[in-house]
Amino acid sequence: LYPSLHRHFRQSQVDWAAPDLAKFPLFASLRGLEAVLGPGDVLYIPPFWFHRVESVGFSVGASTVSASEEEAAFADAYWTKLPFSEAWTVQKKAQVVRLYLRLLLRRLGETHAAAAAAVRSMLVDSRYGPLSEALSRLSPLGELADTACFKFADDSSLEGHASRLEAVLSEQTLKLLSLPEAVLYLSVADYVEELAAWAVGAENVISFVLHCF
């Protein structure tokens, strides 16, 4: 998938007609289902299923998308108010967001041992890795390069934030754990991108993921 902050969000980076298996090696192992629709046919595609539509001739079609139970459950967790402040410096935002994500993934790891590794792999290997050439042309981090987040050492000044974040996480984690595992990882990856963009700006999300997450 493209990153959630990309204009092609929720679309595949792979050209399915001519996949680049060097860049997307896992695509070779995929197995799909094919359906040919005729006049009056309706096809239901379950939530979070990859799909590709191709017309074999002149046709007129219509599609509709409705929110799934999984999306509703994640939205409930997503909109949980966090003890963050717009008045903080970029450096403090980055540090507190990093702390929050570490605590969140630790909680999820109690029942999903692979949570942190799966979310990181989804972000680095699947979403941003294939775009690395384009991302390399972005402006450098500048003032962020020397923050404690990118040269992380435990900071006692964050202890007060940890206790406040733990209180929020108790409620939030319960909501997230209602999601199927694959949907959980996808949703948390989206969440990481959103919080990183809030903290350091959309252009620096990949640097946050690589050095701060």
Side-chain angles (χ1 to χ4, degrees):
L1 291 174
Y2 281 97
S4 69
L5 302 173
H6 197 280
R7 65 179 182 276
H8 295 311
F9 171 53
R10 283 286 180 267
Q11 295 181 24
S12 174
Q13 295 186 45
V14 183
D15 179 354
W16 288 31
D20 183 344
L21 297 181
K23 186 179 287 188
F24 305 102
L26 294 179
F27 190 83
S29 64
L30 297 183
R31 296 293 178 266
L33 302 173
E34 183 177 307
V36 180
L37 305 184
D41 287 345
V42 174
L43 177 65
Y44 169 74
I45 302 175
F48 299 98
W49 277 43
F50 270 117
H51 59 279
R52 179 172 183 258
V53 179
E54 185 176 324
S55 296
V56 296
F58 176 78
S59 64
V60 177
S63 65
T64 182
V65 178
S66 57
S68 65
E69 292 181 3
E70 293 87 355
E71 288 173 306
F74 177 67
D76 195 17
Y78 180 92
W79 290 110
T80 300
K81 185 173 176 58
L82 300 175
F84 295 169
S85 173
E86 287 288 352
W88 291 344
T89 64
V90 173
Q91 290 85 349
K92 184 171 181 177
K93 286 180 180 179
Q95 291 170 4
V96 176
V97 166
R98 181 185 192 275
L99 174 63
Y100 166 72
L101 291 173
R102 285 166 61 91
L103 294 172
L104 173 63
L105 288 167
R106 186 181 302 162
R107 286 287 188 95
L108 295 177
E110 293 172 1
T111 51
H112 295 75
V119 171
R120 182 177 173 83
S121 177
M122 186 172 291
L123 287 167
V124 177
D125 301 330
S126 176
R127 296 189 184 184
Y128 286 94
L131 297 172
S132 58
E133 183 177 344
L135 289 168
S136 68
R137 296 194 293 269
L138 292 174
S139 58
L141 284 169
E143 65 177 90
L144 296 179
D146 295 324
T147 65
C149 193
F150 288 87
K151 298 179 179 179
F152 189 78
D154 289 333
D155 186 346
S156 60
S157 68
L158 297 179
E159 291 178 0
H161 292 291
S163 60
R164 289 191 290 273
L165 292 171
E166 287 282 9
V168 173
L169 284 168
S170 297
E171 174 187 358
Q172 194 174 45
T173 307
L174 287 175
K175 297 173 181 176
L176 290 172
L177 289 176
S178 68
L179 298 172
E181 188 172 69
V183 176
L184 171 66
Y185 298 159
L186 176 69
S187 300
V188 173
D190 291 347
Y191 195 35
V192 171
E193 287 190 62
E194 293 287 344
L195 289 175
W198 174 81
V200 300
E203 70 278 11
N204 290 320
V205 168
I206 184 56
S207 294
F208 181 96
V209 169
L210 290 173
H211 304 294
C212 209
F213 174 52

